[in-house]
Amino acid sequence: MNRLLTVMLAAASLSACAAYEPEPVSAHQWQQRQERIERQEAERLRRCETMDQQSERYARECARTGASQ
């Protein structure tokens, strides 16, 4: 009983980790996806410009590997 409950809880928690996003199948869908990614990145950069660079949030959300800052 405990083993079944543990397996069910593990499966439920792992399935909730990431939302499923199907791969685009047409050129138009790929373009929309790319534009959405570019908008999200631009928004992230604007937020980072206004944050205190010494804060934990800045280190977590704005520091990127290989980025010159």
Side-chain angles (χ1 to χ4, degrees):
M1 181 68 173
N2 284 342
R3 179 176 272 170
L4 177 63
L5 182 58
T6 303
V7 170
M8 289 175 55
L9 283 173
S13 64
L14 290 175
S15 66
C17 289
Y20 173 72
E21 183 178 332
E23 287 291 318
V25 292
S26 70
H28 179 70
Q29 289 175 332
W30 278 104
Q31 183 66 31
Q32 286 180 324
R33 178 180 180 267
Q34 188 63 32
E35 289 171 355
R36 178 176 37 84
I37 291 169
E38 289 172 359
R39 282 192 309 270
Q40 289 171 342
E41 182 64 12
E43 180 182 326
R44 185 189 70 81
L45 291 173
R46 281 192 300 272
R47 277 194 319 264
C48 290
E49 289 175 357
T50 62
M51 279 188 215
D52 175 21
Q53 293 186 2
Q54 304 302 319
S55 69
E56 289 181 31
R57 182 177 177 195
Y58 182 87
R60 182 178 61 243
E61 296 180 13
C62 300
R64 297 281 191 211
T65 304
S68 59
Q69 293 184 9

